[in-house]
């Protein structure tokens, strides 16, 4: 596979970027500013890496206008160098060829519909009444259960499971090991034993969502679990039944939203953070890593819980005092008389 | 697939429920109180939704006697409306048909025993000396290793792995991506390198347990990792080697129990909570979400750790003070002289 | 399958151990000190179990010299009885036979190279330009994508995915459900929508690493995500793109390292702990369970965050005061005048 190559001029024209320096320099890949060679494209977005620019051997660097003045090499000029780099680097991404058609070692239920130009890889099974639309790519080992829809241009990389009643919009990208549409965790205690509550809803995923590796999205109990369009979930995430996530929100690895939580649009949920069940988080809320949301949030902004990291010896001393915090507070209040500051 | 339909009278008789209103109303599915239509069954369990009852278009609503008096429509009367609803809604759950037999694209070791009425789906492999009992359902892509037992009526939905020496009781339900019986994390440091400790035990799962999607239960080092009957594990859970979980306990998503932890009966472990290794948690303990159990618990009750969520600016100010908590406590003590309140 | 059996004398010679008592005692398996029978080998490493020794029915017990004096039965003497036990117990581990060759129900791209003595199980797919080296074992349901290398003697137990550009060193052991080489979580916001940043790097795993069940290691954005040799990852771990983990470090279940974090050699990361992105953790750092590393660590040692577990009622009172901690601190300062202790 020969890597494609582009001159700085071609890149400037294709992506509507400014250009300083030698327009004929040719790049065939990307690199970091520190390590890129003469045949590679790099970027400078964060001013703290400006010092690396002078030392860089990158053939072409995309940067802001103000950084280009002092640069001797070839520069592409962008208002947002990181986005421009992202788009250009897609040119160099080796995309495996996936021929249309159903692999001989795939099993498709007679009642399922598969578009003629979809790709169905080996060891895939597709259940009753499911539909795979045009241009969809279903990689090796995926399991599509009953009554699912895989929309136009979706990509299920490998070993993805859609259990039942999972409807994907267009261009949804799902990474290996993700499980959508498993039973929600619905239980009632009756006479000392658990009674399972049937999960009759489904999962509805909007256009352009991305679901990370080994992430789980349970199907709803009565109505659907819903991700609106352009929601981005990292790996190892748990989304309980009947959760609703607004468009353009993103959740980092190992975070979780419990049953019936409602997360707004343009929210950012940090790694390992959790949202308890039945809560509402309004639009444009950021939750920092490993924080726990225990009541609804009605104002946009950044929220946190937790304590700072310390050496273990100091931590032990301070953490032990946490058990006395109410007593300490009452003691200072009693003597102070400066009112309730809560 | 035509959905089955039932009259209110049929439901009342079948589930021994009281009945008010028109006994001939017919329902063929379920809905929420707010959104159900005339052909659907809904429920009212939590008094805070009582106001929705007057507005509901549900054909039949299951509720407590005291809520039915003021209700104009058809009501089924139950002491526990949620449990009654759960049982009735199972009538409307579309259950995929799984024919008995071994799929042509499954691989079964000659020394394995598979009951004639078990269902073995495509892309399943079953290893040496394993046994699949009557009525068991093993969905697509499951891997059953050596010396495993899948008991009567178990359901492994899809892509479940039983690595080795995993013994499932009857009616165990396992969701996709779960891994039971992988090596426990046993290591010894020797001369600056890790030495792997062989994991010679197995996993023993009691009757009626449920294991969530992408949950892991490691096999024991010498003896088995054990779940007693009716234990319910949500998704993304990690159970270390030689953990023992008592009957009827439930763990929510992303929680974990480290090696040799012993959790009692009727415990509830919240989402993202953890229990450190070798600890004992007695019966009837509830651990709230994202709490960490760092010493054994000998009294039933509810336990928590962590700090409340705040706007990030306030949190930064307060969290920074956590590092001074011991000094603050000593300062108030020195001046107060009111003894040790710990 | 008959279990192998060894006399105490054979074990002493093979593992260079001291021997007290009857050298002809024969063991064919292992057990705990408390439950082992006359045909089993047990160990005593932790002095707190010394009392069990007198009661033990184990045929042979490996222990330290000082514990052997008072022991009536057969003892093997080791400086580190746990390591010695680990090595001996490997003798009793039933290892499934994996014949060399490619299973008839595996799919191997014509451009891939598979060593003649590698084992490729059923339902495995191997993509373009990938290579599987001598003695490697690839269990059922694994997916190897494009441009991957599985080094000599690697074991991929079952249902492992190497997405693309994943290079494993020698003797790497990977448990079921692990996903290596999925897209890193790279996004840029542009005009109110997420723009995906192509992930052009790969994953490089050193010799003798172990990767737990359902653990994820994303591939790098430009350069590789790297694990040096002998790194041990437990289950359910998330490793972001471009993370670098030094040799001989170990991470416990459900822990995570966010993008571009750099963890040193001989580090121990506790269960559920997290390291934020772009931070550096120096060699020989221990992070306790469920702690969050929010800034770089430059000194070896043990670090922690979090608060102690309490009964929920006490916790509510104390946790509420955390919101006032800055005010409390200022109050004690104002009155105290004993300077800044931070």
């Amino acid at each position: 596979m020969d890597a494609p190559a582009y001159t700085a001029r071609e890149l400037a024209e294709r992506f509507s970027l400014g250009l300083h320096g030698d327009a004929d320099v040719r790049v065939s890949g990307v690199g970091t500013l520190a390590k890129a060679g003469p045949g590679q494209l790099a970027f400078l977005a964060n001013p703290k890496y400006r010092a690396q620019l002078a030392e860089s051997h990158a053939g072409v660097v995309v940067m802001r206008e103000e950084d280009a003045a002092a640069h001797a090499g070839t520069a592409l000029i962008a208002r947002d160098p990181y986005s421009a780099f992202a788009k250009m680097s897609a040119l160099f991404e080796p995309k495996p060829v996936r021929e249309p058609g159903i692999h001989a070692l795939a099993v498709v239920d007679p009642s399922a519909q598969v578009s003629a130009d979809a790709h169905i890889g080996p060891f895939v099974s597709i259940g009753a009444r499911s539909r795979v639309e045009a241009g969809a790519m279903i990689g090796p080992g995926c399991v599509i259960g009953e009554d699912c829809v895989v929309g136009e241009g979706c990509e299920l990389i490998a070993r993805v499971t859609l259990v039942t009643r999972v409807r994907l919009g267009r261009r949804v990208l799902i990474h290996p090991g993700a499980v959508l549409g498993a039973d929600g965790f619905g239980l009632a205690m009756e006479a000392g034993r658990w009674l399972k509550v049937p999960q009759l809803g489904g999962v509805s995923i909007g256009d352009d969502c991305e679901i990370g590796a080994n992430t789980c999205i349970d199907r709803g109990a009565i109505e659907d679990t819903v991700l609106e369009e352009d929601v981005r979930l990292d790996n190892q995430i748990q989304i309980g039944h009947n959760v609703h996530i607004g468009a353009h929100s993103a959740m980092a690895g190992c975070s979780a939203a419990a049953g019936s939580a409602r997360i707004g649009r343009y929210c950012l949920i940090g790694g390992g953070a959790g949202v308890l069940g039945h809560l509402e988080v309004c639009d444009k809320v950021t939750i920092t890593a490993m924080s726990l949301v225990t009541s609804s949030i009605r104002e946009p902004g950044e929220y946190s819980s937790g304590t700072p990291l310390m050496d273990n010896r100091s931590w032990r001393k301070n953490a032990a005092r946490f058990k006395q915090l109410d007593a300490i507070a009452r003691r200072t209040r009693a003597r102070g008389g400066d009112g309730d500051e809560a």
Side-chain angles (χ1 to χ4, degrees), chain A:
Chain A
M1 239 181 18
D2 280 343
Y6 301 87
T7 62
R9 180 183 298 108
E10 287 167 337
L11 292 173
E13 284 169 7
R14 188 159 181 165
F15 295 96
S16 307
L17 302 174
L19 173 59
H20 290 203
D22 181 357
D24 294 319
V25 170
R26 186 177 288 273
V27 290
S28 60
V30 300
T32 58
L33 201 52
K35 297 199 183 161
Q40 288 181 308
L41 171 71
F43 73 100
L44 170 62
N46 188 333
K48 86 174 184 185
Y49 295 112
R50 208 174 272 162
Q52 290 183 2
L53 183 59
E55 312 283 312
S56 180
H57 296 101
V60 178
V61 180
V62 55
M63 62 185 79
R64 289 194 191 78
E65 181 71 54
E66 62 262 37
D67 291 317
H71 184 57
T74 298
L76 291 167
I77 311 300
R79 215 172 289 179
D80 182 343
Y82 185 56
S83 290
F85 176 79
K87 287 181 219 167
M88 289 187 284
S89 68
L91 297 175
F92 304 108
E93 193 174 19
K95 279 280 190 184
V97 180
R98 306 292 187 205
E99 302 293 349
I102 299 173
H103 195 283
L105 292 174
V107 172
V108 179
D109 188 276
S111 67
Q113 299 167 47
V114 177
S115 167
D117 76 345
H119 166 93
I120 311 293
F123 318 126
V124 168
S125 68
I126 300 182
R129 301 170 304 279
S130 284
R131 195 170 79 234
V132 179
E133 300 187 342
M137 193 290 280
I138 301 192
C142 289
V143 176
I144 315 288
E146 288 77 19
D147 302 297
C148 294
V149 177
V150 177
E152 268 183 55
C154 284
E155 278 189 75
L156 280 58
I157 302 293
R159 287 210 308 107
V160 168
T161 306
L162 310 184
V163 180
T164 192
R165 296 189 290 284
V166 179
R167 287 166 288 270
L168 308 179
R170 290 167 296 174
R171 297 173 304 276
V172 174
L173 170 59
I174 311 187
H175 295 288
V179 177
L180 281 71
D183 280 2
F185 198 55
L187 297 167
M189 181 56 79
E190 196 187 49
R193 299 188 68 83
W194 291 112
L195 172 69
K196 185 168 170 65
V197 181
Q199 303 291 303
L200 301 175
V203 174
S204 169
I205 305 288
D207 294 347
D208 301 306
C209 286
E210 181 171 357
I211 312 294
N214 284 349
T215 279
C216 296
I217 304 177
D218 280 348
R219 70 176 191 269
I222 298 178
E223 298 173 348
D224 285 356
T225 303
V226 177
L227 269 63
E228 296 181 358
E229 61 160 344
D230 195 28
V231 171
R232 307 291 174 142
L233 302 187
D234 196 357
N235 302 343
Q236 304 276 30
I237 287 173
Q238 158 64 5
I239 303 295
H241 53 177
N242 298 105
V243 166
H244 187 113
I245 304 182
H248 316 296
S249 285
M251 295 177 70
C254 308
S255 58
S260 300
R262 207 176 162 93
I263 295 174
R265 292 157 56 94
Y266 292 107
C267 288
L268 300 173
I269 310 293
V275 179
L276 292 187
H278 296 271
L279 301 183
E280 292 198 24
V281 174
C282 70
D283 294 351
K284 299 189 181 174
V285 165
T286 295
I287 305 296
T288 60
M290 288 178 69
S291 297
L292 177 64
V293 180
T294 51
S295 54
S296 290
I297 297 180
R298 316 227 179 261
E299 294 291 327
E302 189 174 5
Y303 295 83
S304 303
S305 67
T307 70
L309 194 81
M310 283 171 271
D311 69 273
N312 182 263
R313 193 186 154 94
S314 304
W315 175 79
R316 282 177 182 277
K317 278 195 304 184
N318 288 302
R321 296 297 190 175
F322 187 80
K323 292 191 172 186
Q324 308 163 355
L325 194 48
D326 183 52
I328 292 168
R330 278 189 280 110
R331 215 147 54 192
T332 64
R333 182 83 55 79
R335 265 175 266 127
D338 49 2
D340 192 323
E341 76 288 42

